[in-house]
Amino acid sequence: MTTTPTTHLTDTQTQALLLKLTVLADDEIILAHRDGEWTGHAPILEEDIALANIAQDELGHAGLYLSLAQTLGGSDPDRVAFWRGPDDYRNTRLVELPKGDWAFTMVRQFLYDTAEALWLEAATRSTYAPLAEIAAKAVREEKFHVQHTALWVERLALGTPESERRTQAALTELWPHAAQLFQPVEGEAELTAAGILPDLNAVHARWTDLVTRHLVDKCGLTLPDAPTTQPGRDTHTHHLAPLLEEMQSVARQHPDAEVW
Amino acid sequence: MSITDMGMVRDVTVSDAGRVTVTFTPTFSGCPALHVIRDSIEQAVRDLGVTDVEVRSTLTPPWTTDWIGDDARERLRQYGIAPPAPTGEGQLIQLDAEPTRCPRCGSLNVRMTASFGPTLCKRMYVCDNCREPFEAFKSV
């Protein structure tokens, strides 16, 4: 594997990579929280446990990204997670929307997991060794998420008229938001040119092909029209602020605690 | 089962000055036991009379269930947990799970009842041959 030691990143590259690691972590943290909202409420106990497992993995990935960001000059991961407000979070709107019904949760998780798995798979070839190592670790875990959510989407889409209606409604609402996962951050082009980050357009094309084969060819769902231009990651819905308020409440009440 | 049985300890070095460095790799990145494992490693080395201990974690190469030794696999099976199948070179996106045997009767006639289990590294099955419900290690 070709490696580019940290010291070889230019200042511009370091800043762009810091931002990229933060947006990746933000998506993981917010989605994990939404998944966690099903704990004690999922349709059956096994799914309660499954979604909690998935959320735990996503938080693990956020920890990996933020720990790497810290070596590049970023703040302590707990500070980043618990002490930033909605104006500073850079997650996609896809992950902050309320959890909705089970079909909404599974379709969102499927769209996200496939995007994450394909991005990570490409990132294992990063010329920046610390990122390639993280990707090699996380992609193994993501494989289980994709298996699980792909099966759920199939089961719901081909289940009863009611489950099909709900699954299609979820896809129709989520599809435009999913495109946001493939918006580059500022300075990303330079990192891609240097082989540090995957080519986001190539990942997007692979993702579109994969999800189309599953959702349309296998599950008989209809993809909505291609989304129009989306606002950036600094634009949130009104759903993010209450989510953060709940997620951060314990940390903010006990700022001197050593471990969460 | 110990962390060495699990293949999690990757390196142990002793410097000329007597400093012991233990390098381990996590099973799953979100494993909540990582802090406990780290502290336990340090304590175990201190219990040997070593005062200068460093515990490092590494992600490379990523942990795989292929590192679980034969002896440990047999103990898992006797305990009632199906050991992991060899990981092989699976595709990134595959919908079929790896074959799993019932730890009680050895049958391959088993059904997955939940693809996630009580811990990140396991999933739930039931054997359609002997009716045993059991946990199985994921192949990672």
Side-chain angles (χ1 to χ4, degrees), chain A residues 49 53 56 133 137 141 147-148, chain B residues 26-27 29 32 60 94 115 117:
Chain A
I49 293 167
N53 271 237
Q56 201 176 331
E133 291 175 6
K137 181 72 189 169
E141 301 170 359
Q147 280 180 13
H148 189 69
Chain B
T27 54
S29 60
T60 304
Q94 54 183 17
S115 51

Side-chain angles (χ1 to χ4, degrees), chain B residues 4-69:
Chain B
T4 47
D5 288 333
M6 295 277 287
M8 292 169 67
V9 176
R10 305 312 302 163
D11 193 33
V12 179
T13 58
V14 184
S15 75
D16 290 344
R19 159 174 270 215
V20 174
T21 305
V22 181
T23 305
F24 80 105
T25 191
T27 54
F28 280 72
S29 60
C31 176
L34 284 181
H35 291 289
V36 177
I37 292 171
R38 177 182 291 272
D39 291 349
S40 300
I41 293 173
E42 183 174 333
Q43 192 55 51
V45 179
R46 287 192 191 285
D47 287 350
L48 297 172
V50 179
T51 51
D52 192 3
V53 185
E54 185 188 5
V55 182
R56 292 183 188 163
S57 63
T58 180
L59 294 176
T60 304
W63 182 77
T64 164
T65 43
D66 290 345
W67 292 342
I68 300 177

Side-chain angles (χ1 to χ4, degrees), chain A residues 147-228:
Chain A
Q147 280 180 13
H148 189 69
T149 51
L151 272 176
W152 258 111
V153 170
E154 183 181 342
R155 193 180 287 139
L156 291 167
L158 303 176
T160 65
E162 174 73 3
S163 70
E164 182 198 352
R165 182 186 66 73
R166 286 172 181 255
T167 309
Q168 181 62 58
L171 180 60
T172 303
E173 180 174 351
L174 288 163
W175 186 250
H177 295 292
Q180 227 200 331
L181 292 170
F182 302 100
Q183 287 177 347
V185 301
E186 192 182 337
E188 183 157 343
E190 185 185 331
L191 293 178
T192 301
I196 295 167
L197 288 181
D199 178 349
L200 208 51
N201 291 328
V203 175
H204 193 180
R206 286 190 68 198
W207 176 82
T208 304
D209 178 56
L210 187 148
V211 300
T212 303
R213 275 189 281 126
H214 191 70
L215 296 172
V216 178
D217 301 348
K218 192 161 193 177
C219 299
L221 298 166
T222 305
L223 292 183
D225 292 336
T228 49

